[in-house]
Amino acid sequence: MAPTTPELHFDTQFDAQTGRPVAVVEGIVRVTAPNSSPFTFTGTNSFLVGHHQLALIDPGPIDHAHEAALLRAIGGRLVTAIMLTHTHRDHSASAKMLAQKLGAPLWFGGRHRLSRPLRRFEINPIRKSCDWDLAPDRTLVDGEIIPAGDMTLSVHTTPGHCANHLAFGVAGSDVLFSGDHVMGWNSTLVSVPDGSMADYFASLDKLIALPYRRYLPAHGGEIADGPAHAAALKAHREMRNQQVLDAVSRGARSIGAVVAAIYPTQPARVRMAARMTMTAHVEYLEGLGALRVRRGIFGTRLDLSRA
């Protein structure tokens, strides 16, 4: 009998306790920034890792109240490094300033970069949300073991949401910092060419195979069974792939028509995000040979591929 796919459930009841240090796991404290929005849920979770010495993961946006909350939680302890899961500005905008203030180096997966080159006439729709100029003092690579204050993390490259996305596993535990790759409150935005749906699927498979169960995402609360939730997210995205194909088979010839067919009653802000992710699905299906896509200055024309 084939294994059943876990049901996808989103937890939107998270109490962020914004601005307060919240102990979530032994040696790990969360401080949530006051930057709630439709894309960030209750705000960006910054994490302090360690006891007598600390590492800071995802310092968040430039916000004086959040900076003050982080400094109070740090309480004068040595911060050995500031680490980023990725370089979208809701995670990284304050990194350089705090690195200078705390005397800590910046470690992450390299400068922000696109998942593929821009096509002619193409614009990256989230370009203003990306921290293009931020450079790491150390570029983290897949599989390396790094100190995090007086604790230890493993580095796992997880491109998809963006090209330089990382997850961090806590040594000797079942805890993983999953960044924006796997979240419990919503599915992850994948916006090409900043992100890649093919990379996103591959990174889900990678996390599912790792020996970490409890995920601490960068937005929202802890995910008790991270691999099961990741598998449910994968099934959800595979369902969206089939919905795109079904919409095109019924006559949808543009990405706008596909979005209207799949999200007929959603408000405009939801459909805007859906259009970005549907574009990523179309590109993924094109790569599989399931769709024919013709691009021009007046838009994109879709059709099913014929063997």
Short mmCIF file of all heavy atoms in Angstrom, two decimals, residues 67-93:
data_model
loop_
_atom_site.label_atom_id
_atom_site.label_comp_id
_atom_site.label_asym_id
_atom_site.label_seq_id
_atom_site.Cartn_x
_atom_site.Cartn_y
_atom_site.Cartn_z
N GLU A 67 15.83 46.51 17.20
CA GLU A 67 17.25 46.56 17.57
C GLU A 67 17.40 46.61 19.09
O GLU A 67 18.21 45.89 19.68
CB GLU A 67 17.92 47.78 16.93
CG GLU A 67 19.37 47.95 17.35
CD GLU A 67 19.95 49.28 16.89
OE1 GLU A 67 19.35 49.93 16.02
OE2 GLU A 67 21.02 49.67 17.41
N ALA A 68 16.60 47.46 19.74
CA ALA A 68 16.68 47.58 21.19
C ALA A 68 16.29 46.28 21.87
O ALA A 68 16.91 45.86 22.87
CB ALA A 68 15.79 48.73 21.68
N ALA A 69 15.28 45.59 21.35
CA ALA A 69 14.85 44.32 21.92
C ALA A 69 15.94 43.26 21.80
O ALA A 69 16.19 42.48 22.73
CB ALA A 69 13.57 43.85 21.25
N LEU A 70 16.61 43.23 20.64
CA LEU A 70 17.71 42.29 20.46
C LEU A 70 18.86 42.57 21.41
O LEU A 70 19.42 41.65 22.03
CB LEU A 70 18.21 42.33 19.00
CG LEU A 70 17.32 41.66 17.96
CD1 LEU A 70 17.85 41.92 16.55
CD2 LEU A 70 17.21 40.15 18.20
N LEU A 71 19.21 43.84 21.55
CA LEU A 71 20.33 44.20 22.43
C LEU A 71 20.01 43.87 23.88
O LEU A 71 20.88 43.40 24.63
CB LEU A 71 20.67 45.68 22.27
CG LEU A 71 21.26 46.07 20.91
CD1 LEU A 71 21.47 47.57 20.82
CD2 LEU A 71 22.57 45.32 20.63
N ARG A 72 18.75 44.07 24.30
CA ARG A 72 18.36 43.70 25.66
C ARG A 72 18.48 42.18 25.85
O ARG A 72 18.95 41.71 26.88
CB ARG A 72 16.94 44.15 25.96
CG ARG A 72 16.78 45.64 26.19
CD ARG A 72 15.42 45.95 26.82
NE ARG A 72 14.30 45.51 25.98
CZ ARG A 72 13.74 46.25 25.03
NH1 ARG A 72 14.19 47.48 24.80
NH2 ARG A 72 12.73 45.78 24.32
N ALA A 73 18.04 41.42 24.86
CA ALA A 73 18.10 39.96 24.96
C ALA A 73 19.54 39.46 24.95
O ALA A 73 19.86 38.48 25.63
CB ALA A 73 17.30 39.33 23.82
N ILE A 74 20.39 40.13 24.19
CA ILE A 74 21.81 39.75 24.16
C ILE A 74 22.47 40.05 25.51
O ILE A 74 23.29 39.27 26.00
CB ILE A 74 22.53 40.49 23.01
CG1 ILE A 74 22.04 39.94 21.66
CG2 ILE A 74 24.05 40.36 23.13
CD1 ILE A 74 22.43 40.80 20.48
N GLY A 75 22.10 41.16 26.11
CA GLY A 75 22.54 41.47 27.47
C GLY A 75 24.03 41.58 27.64
O GLY A 75 24.57 41.19 28.68
N GLY A 76 24.73 42.08 26.63
CA GLY A 76 26.17 42.27 26.74
C GLY A 76 27.01 41.04 26.46
O GLY A 76 28.25 41.12 26.50
N ARG A 77 26.38 39.91 26.19
CA ARG A 77 27.15 38.71 25.87
C ARG A 77 27.84 38.84 24.51
O ARG A 77 27.37 39.58 23.64
CB ARG A 77 26.24 37.48 25.88
CG ARG A 77 25.80 37.06 27.27
CD ARG A 77 24.77 35.94 27.21
NE ARG A 77 23.46 36.42 26.75
CZ ARG A 77 22.39 35.65 26.61
NH1 ARG A 77 22.48 34.35 26.88
NH2 ARG A 77 21.25 36.17 26.20
N LEU A 78 28.93 38.12 24.34
CA LEU A 78 29.66 38.14 23.08
C LEU A 78 28.82 37.48 21.98
O LEU A 78 28.32 36.36 22.15
CB LEU A 78 30.98 37.38 23.23
CG LEU A 78 31.81 37.22 21.94
CD1 LEU A 78 32.32 38.56 21.44
CD2 LEU A 78 32.98 36.26 22.18
N VAL A 79 28.67 38.17 20.86
CA VAL A 79 28.03 37.60 19.68
C VAL A 79 29.13 37.21 18.71
O VAL A 79 29.84 38.07 18.18
CB VAL A 79 27.04 38.59 19.04
CG1 VAL A 79 26.45 38.02 17.76
CG2 VAL A 79 25.92 38.94 20.03
N THR A 80 29.30 35.92 18.47
CA THR A 80 30.43 35.44 17.68
C THR A 80 30.19 35.56 16.18
O THR A 80 31.14 35.60 15.41
CB THR A 80 30.74 33.97 18.02
OG1 THR A 80 29.59 33.16 17.71
CG2 THR A 80 31.07 33.83 19.51
N ALA A 81 28.92 35.61 15.76
CA ALA A 81 28.60 35.76 14.34
C ALA A 81 27.14 36.14 14.18
O ALA A 81 26.29 35.79 15.01
CB ALA A 81 28.89 34.47 13.57
N ILE A 82 26.86 36.87 13.12
CA ILE A 82 25.50 37.11 12.66
C ILE A 82 25.31 36.31 11.39
O ILE A 82 26.08 36.45 10.44
CB ILE A 82 25.24 38.60 12.41
CG1 ILE A 82 25.32 39.37 13.73
CG2 ILE A 82 23.88 38.82 11.75
CD1 ILE A 82 25.17 40.87 13.59
N MET A 83 24.31 35.44 11.38
CA MET A 83 24.08 34.53 10.26
C MET A 83 22.74 34.86 9.61
O MET A 83 21.79 35.26 10.28
CB MET A 83 24.08 33.07 10.73
CG MET A 83 25.35 32.66 11.47
SD MET A 83 25.18 31.00 12.18
CE MET A 83 26.68 30.93 13.18
N LEU A 84 22.67 34.66 8.31
CA LEU A 84 21.45 34.90 7.56
C LEU A 84 21.00 33.62 6.87
O LEU A 84 21.82 32.92 6.28
CB LEU A 84 21.67 35.97 6.50
CG LEU A 84 22.18 37.34 6.96
CD1 LEU A 84 22.40 38.25 5.76
CD2 LEU A 84 21.21 37.97 7.95
N THR A 85 19.68 33.35 6.94
CA THR A 85 19.16 32.27 6.11
C THR A 85 19.15 32.69 4.65
O THR A 85 19.32 31.84 3.76
CB THR A 85 17.74 31.86 6.54
OG1 THR A 85 16.87 33.00 6.46
CG2 THR A 85 17.73 31.30 7.95
N HIS A 86 18.97 34.00 4.38
CA HIS A 86 19.01 34.52 3.02
C HIS A 86 18.96 36.04 3.06
O HIS A 86 18.85 36.64 4.15
CB HIS A 86 17.87 33.95 2.16
CG HIS A 86 16.49 34.29 2.62
ND1 HIS A 86 15.97 33.86 3.83
CD2 HIS A 86 15.49 35.02 2.05
CE1 HIS A 86 14.73 34.28 3.97
NE2 HIS A 86 14.41 35.00 2.91
N THR A 87 19.06 36.65 1.90
CA THR A 87 19.24 38.10 1.82
C THR A 87 18.02 38.83 1.27
O THR A 87 18.15 39.78 0.49
CB THR A 87 20.50 38.43 1.00
OG1 THR A 87 20.49 37.66 -0.21
CG2 THR A 87 21.75 38.16 1.78
N HIS A 88 16.82 38.44 1.66
CA HIS A 88 15.67 39.31 1.51
C HIS A 88 15.68 40.28 2.68
O HIS A 88 15.99 39.90 3.82
CB HIS A 88 14.38 38.50 1.45
CG HIS A 88 14.21 37.76 0.17
ND1 HIS A 88 13.45 36.61 0.06
CD2 HIS A 88 14.71 38.00 -1.08
CE1 HIS A 88 13.49 36.18 -1.20
NE2 HIS A 88 14.25 37.00 -1.90
N ARG A 89 15.32 41.51 2.42
CA ARG A 89 15.59 42.58 3.36
C ARG A 89 14.82 42.46 4.68
O ARG A 89 15.25 43.01 5.70
CB ARG A 89 15.31 43.94 2.72
CG ARG A 89 16.32 44.28 1.60
CD ARG A 89 16.08 45.66 1.02
NE ARG A 89 16.18 46.70 2.04
CZ ARG A 89 17.32 47.20 2.49
NH1 ARG A 89 18.48 46.75 2.02
NH2 ARG A 89 17.31 48.13 3.42
N ASP A 90 13.71 41.74 4.68
CA ASP A 90 13.02 41.55 5.97
C ASP A 90 13.84 40.68 6.92
O ASP A 90 13.57 40.65 8.12
CB ASP A 90 11.62 40.97 5.77
CG ASP A 90 11.61 39.64 5.05
OD1 ASP A 90 12.25 39.54 3.99
OD2 ASP A 90 10.94 38.70 5.53
N HIS A 91 14.87 40.02 6.41
CA HIS A 91 15.79 39.22 7.23
C HIS A 91 17.13 39.91 7.44
O HIS A 91 17.77 39.71 8.47
CB HIS A 91 16.04 37.87 6.57
CG HIS A 91 14.82 37.04 6.41
ND1 HIS A 91 14.56 35.92 7.17
CD2 HIS A 91 13.75 37.17 5.59
CE1 HIS A 91 13.39 35.41 6.82
NE2 HIS A 91 12.88 36.16 5.86
N SER A 92 17.57 40.70 6.47
CA SER A 92 18.98 41.11 6.42
C SER A 92 19.24 42.60 6.50
O SER A 92 20.40 43.01 6.64
CB SER A 92 19.59 40.60 5.10
OG SER A 92 18.95 41.21 3.99
N ALA A 93 18.21 43.44 6.43
CA ALA A 93 18.46 44.88 6.30
C ALA A 93 19.29 45.45 7.45
O ALA A 93 20.11 46.35 7.26
CB ALA A 93 17.14 45.64 6.17
#
